[in-house]
Amino acid sequence: MKIDQISDSVYVVAGTNVNWALVSDGSGVTVIDAGYPADTEDMLDSVHQIGHHLTDIAAVLLTHAHLDHMGAIPALVERVGMPVYTGTEEVRHAKREYLQQITPVGMIKQLTTHRGRRWVAHTMRAIHGHIGMAIPSATTGDDALAALPGGFVAVPTPGHTSGHTAYLMPSEAVLFSGDALVTGHPLLRHTGPQLLPAVFNHDETLTRGSAEHLGIQPARTLVPGHGLPIGFDATQLARALGTARHRARPLRRLR
């Protein structure tokens, strides 16, 4: 686990090949995504590391219901009982009324490269025993998001999953993109703003359209679900989506 403070209120935590974020207003915390099941203890500890108790958590914002983003949520719900908010359609996905995730065949195909074999090994360890995880308490945030620590606006970004949702924090111009837009991944050769490999995306055309839509958001900082936080603008993003080799300007750490 590695914690970086990237703005006055935002902490980005790197777990097992995935990020989650903590937003603190001094008295309370909003959690955005929650790592793999194997990241649970680190996820809980990260709240303490930034000076809070678990009972300070006001809510979890879930970008989408893949196992690498919802892993610690059952433990948080059990210990804290806070609400879990996600996109309207993603509520059904989180409750496992259906499943949109890389298939076993898709996983097997990754074994043809060293990069892929390493990712599969990490992933299988990180989800072991939790394949059937669901979030029965997931619900839509509606007007509640603005009142959470940090204050958020939901940005629908379908494609990676049908109900994928990014979150904008207007007060500090921070955009939490989940997997609609990333800056790195073990299966990607280059860093910088880009899409995840198509094997992960339920609808590739919608995924690209959602990534392009993120470029018009009033944000100065991108916090992706995978890869490093970066500073970018619409022009940079459009150029990056047009070439996989574009490298983003790293966000200077505040401390």
Side-chain angles (χ1 to χ4, degrees), residues 102-113 116-117 119-120:
I102 186 172
T103 65
V105 171
M107 293 283 284
I108 291 170
K109 287 182 178 179
Q110 307 313 310
L111 298 176
T112 59
T113 68
R117 288 191 293 273
W119 174 78
V120 169

Side-chain angles (χ1 to χ4, degrees), residues 59 82 84 146 165:
M82 75 290 135
V84 179
T165 302

Side-chain angles (χ1 to χ4, degrees), residues 13 16 22 44 52 84 89 98 116 121-122 137 158 163 177 189 205 222:
V13 190
T16 304
L22 308 172
L44 301 180
H52 281 279
V84 179
E89 178 58 32
Y98 62 87
H122 286 172
S137 64
S177 63
R189 293 183 176 274
T205 300
L222 173 72

Side-chain angles (χ1 to χ4, degrees), residues 24-91:
S24 169
D25 66 358
S27 61
V29 178
T30 301
V31 176
I32 303 170
D33 287 339
Y36 277 102
D39 290 320
T40 294
E41 290 306 315
D42 280 345
M43 195 275 129
L44 301 180
D45 185 53
S46 68
V47 177
H48 296 295
Q49 291 291 330
I50 67 166
H52 281 279
H53 300 291
L54 294 181
T55 52
D56 294 334
I57 298 174
V60 176
L61 303 185
L62 179 65
T63 60
H64 64 293
H66 280 168
L67 289 173
D68 55 336
H69 293 260
M70 57 194 275
I73 292 179
L76 285 172
V77 171
E78 180 180 356
R79 299 189 192 191
V80 182
M82 75 290 135
V84 179
Y85 297 131
T86 191
T88 301
E89 178 58 32
E90 202 66 11
V91 168

Side-chain angles (χ1 to χ4, degrees), residues 231-244:
F232 76 107
D233 58 26
T235 301
Q236 181 193 37
L237 176 58
R239 185 169 64 247
L241 291 175
T243 170

